Amino acid sequence: MDQQSPDQLGKGFAAFFVNHPLPMWVFDTETLRFLAVNRAAVNTYGYTEDEFLSMTIRDIRPDEDLNRLDTMLEAPRNLNLAGFWKHRRKDGGVIDVEIISHRFPFEDYNARLVLINDITQKKKAQEEITKLALVAQRTDNSVVITDAHFRIEWVNEGFTRLTGYTAEEAVGKSPKDLLAGPASNQEIVKRMYQTLQNGEPFSAEILNYGKNSRPYWSQLSVQPIFDDDGVLKQYISVESDITQRKKTEERLYFQATILKNVKDSVIVTDLDGTVRYYNQGSEAIYGYTSEELLGNSVKLLYPDHGKDQFEEDLRLVQENTEFEGEWEGRRKDGEPVWVNLNRSLMKDARGEPIGLISVARDISRWRLAEEKWRESRNHLRSIFDSTAQPYLLFDKEFRIIQFNRAAADAIHQIFSRELTIGEQILSYGNSAITDDFIRHANEAFSGDRVVVTREVSLTPGQRQWFELDYLPAFNEEGQIYAVAFVALDITERKRTELALRKSFQEIRNFQNALNESALISITDLDGYIQEANAAFCKAVRYSREELIGKKYSLINAGFHPDSFFADMWQTISTGNSWRGEIMNRARNNSFFWVDTTITPILDEQGTITRYLAVQYLITERKQAEQDRESLIANLTDFAFMTAHNLRGPLARILGLVSLFDPLQQNMELNNTVMDKLKVCAGELDQVIHHMIAVLNQRTDLFKENQS
């Protein structure tokens, strides 16, 4: 029978089938061959339609999934949510998918229609979040996990340090109710909840209030968490304290506002130097009032040795239209004053020069500070060169502006080259290093500080880890003119992290192994169950929810005397461990034996807070011991019975033997003795057969008990 194309399914359904954004196919449940596939399936899996139609659904399954596939196909349902699977693409790649299949009429085929949803990226994202959760408790930032209704479920220590609230005080409350205050931006809060309820992440700077109404600024980032079915389950927020940064920003803004409103010196003169305009800023800088200088020559502001400099300044401005630079003037009191001077040629409507506009800012103190800075720069340079961290400063064309000795040594060690001022930093390194370097540097030139971690090989066989820091460098105008690159060797820290990660994994492996083999439970000081693992619940046949909060005596079999448990409590309540064998009773009234070790759990002050019980099932061993004791008792009874039953016939045989006439003189007596001996031998034979029957019976009973 020829296979049908999607168009044969009906025009309406064919369009739906072919153009559906998710992969779909129809397969024969008897042969498992593909009967039809849509475009999304072809695009997702890489097979052509003809290739698909020559294959079965087993061909796209990894080998480890084939048994599960066969089991599922043995009992199909009308509508079957087949769950989560792994599929293999044509290029060999394996993707995680969620499929839904439905019994589907397809001419004479027993067919099923399958809808596939690729969840590979979603699963990877979920795994990444799980990994991040492992370090959430250790981070200095505040980490908060809430349920889907924004009720706090968990906080880390960073949250307590930032807000002052303990986990006990925070759990169950809403972050809004706990942290919002009178100056919090309610519009941001409203936008945050709307964004999160739409399933989208949210990030913002917000003013919150900690315990005792202490305000603080934070950089808040909130991520919604979805389960495998795409249902929103939780939110995780990371909050970093930016209070100091905000204070710095406010201070910088305040200073900028002051500088913006400070009035510099503005002087307007004729071409001969006669002052026509003189503002209050000029009065503050030069000490002359407007009345004293208006109409007089601007040369009053020149030092004695520069009275003739005005004509030269005028010539330079006329030639270049504008002049800018540092200029030494003289105050009314005769003291020199240094200003940053900008002179422009002023023209009339016809373009003819008519005067000069001079704008000056007092830089006298800056000049003094610059001299001191120059004095200390060499000292700072020596300190800078002596630092162990490589440092580079380069401009937007990636030309080297400055570097320290550590950077020069590192470049020489890696590339056997010397660093040179003005050389392209991109000429060092391979394409992979260069591409990363350019990307991070461009982010820094955009104003963002970039910190990345990279593993490099300085010498063959030696791997080192570095924290690479790209910091924007600003000039006096607040513009980014360069990027400072600092490399911090964090090899030892990374080795420590790897060792800790390995130790944590070993601990998790040990914990998993213990959970698989042992019955573990925790009680409070009064014997109420607080925790129980799956093996414990399986043994006692109660669920964990049914056990929590119940007295441990719930599973007491009543086998042991009160003195047995009194001795146990006396031992553990004094801080010592106790070990013994206990018979317990399960929910179904079956009994089981456990080899039990109970250990007190102490707090930091050495006070007992709870008890940990680790138990191993020994019911089979105890049963074997009881069977052995029963067998010994049966064998003892059997030996006694055997001796008793054999003693009578043997005694009679011995007596008859003593009557036997060896000389054959009394044949009548001998015949009588022989007849009696035959009777005794028959009795002895019956006793032996009875002994064998009893022995076989008890042997069979022992074997039955053992099985």
Side-chain angles (χ1 to χ4, degrees):
M1 182 178 294
D2 295 334
Q3 296 171 344
Q4 289 184 323
S5 67
D7 292 334
Q8 294 173 299
L9 303 178
K11 294 182 179 179
F13 180 80
F16 168 82
F17 179 89
V18 171
N19 298 304
H20 198 283
L22 295 179
M24 297 177 68
W25 58 61
V26 179
F27 73 94
D28 183 358
T29 59
E30 295 180 359
T31 65
L32 305 185
R33 296 184 66 84
F34 289 99
L35 302 177
V37 296
N38 71 349
R39 295 170 183 168
V42 171
N43 294 333
T44 299
Y45 289 81
Y47 296 103
T48 65
E49 183 178 7
D50 290 338
E51 288 173 331
F52 259 118
L53 297 180
S54 67
M55 298 162 57
T56 73
I57 63 173
R58 294 175 60 90
D59 295 330
I60 64 169
R61 259 42 176 220
D63 294 340
E64 60 269 23
D65 277 2
L66 293 178
N67 289 338
R68 180 184 167 206
L69 175 64
D70 294 338
T71 301
M72 186 200 73
L73 293 173
E74 288 176 0
R77 294 177 288 176
N78 287 338
L79 179 60
N80 177 28
L81 178 60
F84 302 97
W85 296 81
K86 289 184 180 298
H87 283 178
R88 186 168 53 211
R89 292 164 40 86
K90 182 179 180 179
D91 60 7
V94 176
I95 60 175
D96 292 283
V97 298
E98 179 184 11
I99 69 172
I100 298 175
S101 66
H102 194 285
R103 184 173 295 167
F104 184 71
F106 197 89
E107 261 202 14
D108 295 331
Y109 291 99
N110 290 324
R112 294 190 76 84
L113 174 66
V114 181
L115 175 69
I116 302 95
N117 183 18
D118 186 350
I119 61 170
T120 304
Q121 295 303 319
K122 175 182 174 183
K123 188 173 182 180
K124 288 182 179 179
Q126 192 64 39
E127 291 173 351
E128 185 65 23
I129 291 173
T130 302
K131 293 178 183 177
L132 294 176
L134 294 176
V135 298
Q137 183 62 39
R138 301 288 183 179
T139 183
D140 291 332
N141 292 334
S142 164
V143 180
V144 178
I145 298 177
T146 71
D147 61 17
H149 302 290
F150 302 102
R151 290 188 296 267
I152 296 175
E153 294 182 338
W154 180 87
V155 299
N156 70 342
E157 294 176 0
F159 174 86
T160 300
R161 287 193 296 270
L162 179 60
T163 68
Y165 290 108
T166 65
E168 292 75 14
E169 294 171 323
V171 171
K173 296 183 175 61
S174 164
K176 177 181 178 182
D177 297 335
L178 199 64
L179 303 177
S184 297
N185 191 324
Q186 297 302 318
E187 185 61 30
I188 292 179
V189 174
K190 180 180 178 181
R191 189 168 72 251
M192 176 184 70
Y193 279 98
Q194 290 175 342
T195 302
L196 294 175
Q197 287 171 346
N198 290 335
E200 300 173 359
F202 179 82
S203 179
E205 294 180 0
I206 189 169
L207 179 64
N208 282 332
Y209 287 78
K211 199 171 184 179
N212 300 324
S213 300
R214 179 185 64 82
Y216 67 92
W217 279 94
S218 71
Q219 176 65 52
L220 178 66
S221 178
V222 188
Q223 181 74 34
I225 307 298
F226 300 88
D227 63 14
D228 292 336
D229 297 323
V231 178
L232 179 63
K233 289 295 185 181
Q234 293 173 308
Y235 299 96
I236 180 170
S237 69
V238 179
E239 191 178 27
S240 57
D241 188 355
I242 60 170
T243 304
Q244 291 302 319
R245 194 197 83 190
K246 293 294 288 188
K247 289 181 178 179
T248 301
E249 290 176 354
E250 291 174 359
R251 184 168 62 251
L252 291 174
Y253 177 79
F254 178 72
Q255 293 172 350
T257 302
I258 293 176
L259 291 175
K260 180 180 179 180
N261 291 282
V262 167
K263 297 187 180 299
D264 295 333
S265 166
V266 179
I267 300 174
V268 179
T269 67
D270 293 336
L271 293 179
D272 60 3
T274 302
V275 177
R276 297 305 179 187
Y277 177 79
Y278 185 84
N279 71 341
Q280 293 181 356
S282 301
E283 293 179 354
I285 293 176
Y286 298 108
Y288 290 96
T289 65
S290 298
E291 291 77 11
E292 291 173 321
L293 210 58
L294 286 176
N296 290 316
S297 175
V298 74
K299 295 180 181 180
L300 288 174
L301 305 180
Y302 280 70
D304 292 337
H305 61 274
K307 296 296 184 181
D308 298 331
Q309 187 65 34
F310 175 77
E311 285 73 16
E312 179 64 19
D313 293 345
L314 176 62
R315 184 186 64 80
L316 291 174
V317 172
Q318 288 176 329
E319 290 179 356
N320 301 293
T321 308
E322 186 177 6
F323 166 82
E324 182 176 4
E326 294 182 357
W327 181 77
E328 183 184 6
R330 188 184 67 173
R331 289 175 51 83
K332 180 180 178 180
D333 57 13
E335 291 294 324
V337 58
W338 279 92
V339 296
N340 192 342
L341 179 65
N342 183 290
R343 279 191 174 132
S344 301
L345 191 63
M346 194 168 57
K347 298 179 180 181
D348 61 14
R350 295 173 298 175
E352 296 295 328
I354 59 175
L356 296 177
I357 299 177
S358 301
V359 179
R361 176 171 295 178
D362 188 354
I363 60 170
S364 300
R365 288 182 296 176
W366 295 355
R367 290 274 298 193
L368 178 62
E370 184 179 5
E371 291 176 4
K372 292 182 178 180
W373 175 77
R374 288 195 184 98
E375 293 175 0
S376 62
R377 182 172 62 178
N378 292 334
H379 176 64
L380 292 174
R381 177 69 191 187
S382 64
I383 297 175
F384 170 72
D385 277 339
S386 65
T387 57
Q389 288 76 39
Y391 169 90
L392 280 171
L393 188 70
F394 54 89
D395 61 18
K396 294 184 177 181
E397 283 72 39
F398 293 91
R399 291 190 298 265
I400 300 172
I401 299 174
Q402 191 177 22
F403 60 87
N404 68 349
R405 185 176 297 111
D409 293 343
I411 292 297
H412 185 270
Q413 183 178 8
I414 301 173
F415 303 107
S416 299
R417 292 180 56 186
E418 302 296 332
L419 277 176
T420 305
I421 298 295
E423 188 171 1
Q424 278 273 349
I425 186 62
L426 300 181
S427 65
Y428 302 89
N430 54 42
S431 59
I433 296 177
T434 301
D435 292 343
D436 288 343
F437 190 90
I438 292 175
R439 184 173 71 257
H440 299 320
N442 286 333
E443 292 177 20
F445 277 120
S446 299
D448 297 326
R449 178 182 179 182
V450 181
V451 180
V452 296
T453 301
R454 189 178 182 92
E455 185 182 12
V456 299
S457 178
L458 297 181
T459 57
Q462 179 185 1
R463 306 294 294 178
Q464 289 180 257
W465 285 91
F466 286 91
E467 185 175 87
L468 308 180
D469 200 349
Y470 300 77
L471 300 97
F474 298 86
N475 59 19
E476 295 178 355
E477 287 75 30
Q479 298 174 338
I480 299 175
Y481 78 100
V483 166
F485 172 77
V486 182
L488 177 63
D489 189 345
I490 59 169
T491 303
E492 289 304 318
R493 189 181 81 188
K494 291 296 291 186
R495 288 173 180 168
T496 301
E497 290 176 357
L498 291 174
L500 286 174
R501 191 176 296 116
K502 181 179 179 182
S503 297
F504 290 154
Q505 185 60 46
E506 290 175 350
I507 291 173
R508 284 193 293 270
N509 292 341
F510 174 77
Q511 182 180 2
N512 292 337
L514 189 62
N515 276 329
E516 288 293 329
S517 61
L519 283 61
I520 300 175
S521 60
I522 297 176
T523 69
D524 63 12
L525 299 181
D526 296 319
Y528 287 93
I529 299 173
Q530 293 183 337
E531 190 55 71
N533 72 343
F536 185 90
C537 296
K538 180 179 179 181
V540 301
R541 300 178 184 270
Y542 286 98
S543 68
R544 181 178 177 276
E545 291 73 18
E546 292 173 321
L547 289 171
I548 300 303
K550 297 295 191 305
K551 198 80 166 169
Y552 209 89
S553 57
L554 175 69
I555 60 173
N556 188 346
F559 175 79
H560 302 282
D562 293 342
S563 58
F564 176 85
F565 292 106
D567 175 69
M568 179 194 74
W569 280 104
Q570 175 63 26
T571 301
I572 63 177
S573 63
T574 56
N576 298 310
S577 294
W578 178 91
R579 182 174 181 180
E581 296 178 353
I582 302 176
M583 175 187 280
N584 287 332
R585 181 180 63 191
R587 184 176 192 169
N588 63 352
N589 289 324
S590 63
F591 298 97
F592 62 94
W593 282 88
V594 286
D595 184 342
T596 303
T597 299
I598 303 177
T599 303
I601 300 176
L602 309 179
D603 61 14
E604 295 178 354
Q605 289 73 37
T607 303
I608 300 174
T609 59
R610 294 183 293 176
Y611 297 109
L612 169 67
V614 179
Q615 302 172 313
Y616 296 92
L617 290 170
I618 59 171
T619 304
E620 293 183 358
R621 194 197 80 194
K622 295 294 288 187
Q623 184 63 47
E625 291 175 356
Q626 292 174 6
D627 292 343
R628 185 170 59 253
E629 293 173 359
S630 176
L631 177 61
I632 292 172
N634 287 335
L635 290 176
T636 301
D637 293 343
F638 178 73
F640 177 79
M641 179 189 70
T642 300
H644 175 75
N645 291 339
L646 290 177
R647 190 176 293 116
L650 287 175
R652 289 195 294 275
I653 289 172
L654 291 174
L656 291 171
V657 169
S658 66
L659 296 175
F660 190 78
D661 181 9
L663 299 178
Q664 304 291 327
Q665 295 177 356
N666 191 346
M667 292 304 295
E668 183 178 356
L669 175 62
N670 285 350
N671 291 333
T672 301
V673 170
M674 287 301 295
D675 292 338
K676 296 292 185 179
L677 284 173
K678 289 179 181 179
V679 172
C680 291
E683 293 178 357
L684 185 59
D685 182 65
Q686 291 179 359
V687 170
I688 291 173
H689 278 82
H690 178 68
M691 290 166 53
I692 293 173
V694 171
L695 182 60
N696 288 336
Q697 180 182 5
R698 297 192 177 185
T699 300
D700 293 340
L701 179 61
F702 175 74
K703 291 180 178 179
E704 181 180 350
N705 290 338
Q706 286 294 95
S707 64

